[in-house]
Amino acid sequence: MIITLATVNAWQLYDEQAAQPERWRRVEELVAGLNADVVAVQELIADGADEPARQAGADAALRRLAERTGLYCEVDGRAAAAAGGGRYHAGLLWRAGRASVRPGSLVRLGRASHGLWHGMVTCVLTIDGTPLRVGSVHLSPHSPPWRAADAYQVLTAMHPDTLPGFVGGDWNSIGASRIETGDGWHHYDRSPYPAPVWHPAHGYQLGGDGQVDRGAAEVLENAGGMRDCAVLFGAPWQPTTGYHPIDPQPPRRIDRWYATHRVPAAAIAGYAVADPGRVGTDTDHRPVLVTVDTGALPGAAPAG
């Protein structure tokens, strides 16, 4: 009754303007090697003059990744991909032998249709007899107000009914959860920015007061009752990005899995960030994996 969820920012995968077929192959191998039952993927690249063209490109990119990894991505004959406002798109993959998709459950939120910066996609899967909603999302890298607005859209997409849900993604900002330790209460994600070295790109992660922006996470965690799976499990803090030679940001944790309020803490059976040696420099984000005990979810099928 244990399943694994993975979220993977694939770093400009299938960008034909900077063709890197060997790196693409290694990213495909990385995704397949995670052995996850559900994969939320971001940064599938496809160009297009309008949203329908970008959607067609996103669909083709996700189908390509599905074929190369042996995973599945089809809902009613449509790929579970969401077209972003530019070249960056999000998608969902799952292990067909383990999960079945509910017909009619695919929801795509794009820039033109819903105002999301990079897009979000959700669908309902039944795994071990338990239905749950899963999502993949990629928020704005540039604008704290846009990120917060995107977060409200995430809440709407993840709460249309009483199903438990999980959404993984590149949130492009750090979390708002607080934990208690020996030195009192503090943020699980402490600010990485009180450092002597500053870069103009850091400004996109700060609010107007010069402090680190947590607005999107505050919407999700405070207004929306969603819970960070790393915090639910009590995992030691680990960065997911900020290590790559191209990244001017400090180490930080912007790739996360959130559970809806209907998911009990006991359902989170494990949490891990992929080892840097496994990822190398083929992507500038380390995948995040969460294991879930489906038997502990509301609506779970009786054991046996």
Side-chain angles (χ1 to χ4, degrees):
M1 304 290 279
I2 299 293
I3 63 170
T4 299
L5 314 176
T7 184
V8 182
N9 181 310
W11 190 31
Q12 302 178 6
L13 188 63
Y14 306 138
D15 181 3
E16 297 293 347
Q17 294 183 21
Q20 298 176 311
E22 285 304 309
R23 183 182 69 83
W24 299 346
R25 179 186 57 78
R26 291 192 299 269
V27 171
E28 293 162 354
E29 291 174 351
L30 172 66
V31 172
L34 296 173
N35 293 317
D37 299 292
V38 179
V39 179
V41 63
Q42 303 87 44
E43 288 204 26
L44 296 166
I45 301 299
D47 294 301
D50 54 23
E51 188 157 293
R54 291 192 294 273
Q55 184 65 64
D59 292 350
L62 185 65
R63 288 183 172 120
R64 180 176 180 177
L65 182 58
E67 179 182 0
R68 301 294 175 85
T69 58
L71 297 171
Y72 195 73
C73 69
E74 301 285 336
V75 185
D76 305 322
R78 296 186 294 166
R87 311 178 68 222
Y88 295 76
H89 315 297
L92 281 168
L93 301 160
W94 54 91
R95 195 185 305 278
R98 188 78 189 275
S100 61
V101 65
R102 177 180 291 180
S105 67
L106 180 65
V107 175
R108 295 163 158 173
L109 285 74
R111 176 90 64 87
S113 57
H114 292 84
L116 266 82
W117 186 272
H118 281 319
M120 178 180 182
V121 58
T122 70
C123 68
V124 176
L125 299 176
T126 299
I127 306 176
D128 297 333
T130 304
L132 65 155
R133 178 167 284 99
V134 293
S136 176
V137 66
H138 191 179
L139 300 192
S140 168
H142 301 302
S143 170
W146 200 311
R147 282 195 294 266
D150 281 354
Y152 281 107
Q153 295 272 29
V154 173
L155 295 183
T156 299
M158 294 302 297
H159 294 99
D161 50 37
T162 60
L163 288 179
F166 296 88
V167 55
D170 176 355
W171 304 91
N172 266 318
S173 56
I174 68 173
S177 295
R178 291 182 177 271
I179 60 171
E180 186 176 17
T181 65
D183 59 348
W185 287 87
H186 60 79
H187 283 107
Y188 180 77
D189 291 286
R190 299 196 184 195
S191 174
Y193 291 101
V197 178
W198 184 83
H199 187 281
H202 297 178
Y204 301 123
Q205 296 295 314
L206 306 177
D209 58 359
Q211 301 301 306
V212 67
D213 170 59
R214 302 179 191 269
E218 288 168 348
V219 169
L220 296 167
E221 299 171 25
N222 298 339
M226 301 190 75
R227 280 142 345 132
D228 187 324
C229 290
V231 178
L232 279 181
F233 185 68
W237 186 89
Q238 295 182 75
T240 65
T241 191
Y243 63 89
H244 198 282
I246 68 162
D247 193 343
Q249 300 278 1
R252 63 212 192 282
R253 192 181 69 101
I254 62 174
D255 305 87
R256 299 189 290 279
W257 274 102
Y258 280 104
T260 63
H261 68 286
R262 292 188 171 88
V263 175
I268 308 303
Y271 173 89
V273 178
D275 185 87
R278 184 177 186 182
V279 179
T281 57
D282 291 326
T283 174
D284 55 343
H285 294 247
R286 295 165 62 188
V288 176
L289 297 95
V290 171
T291 49
V292 177
D293 180 358
T294 59
L297 294 175

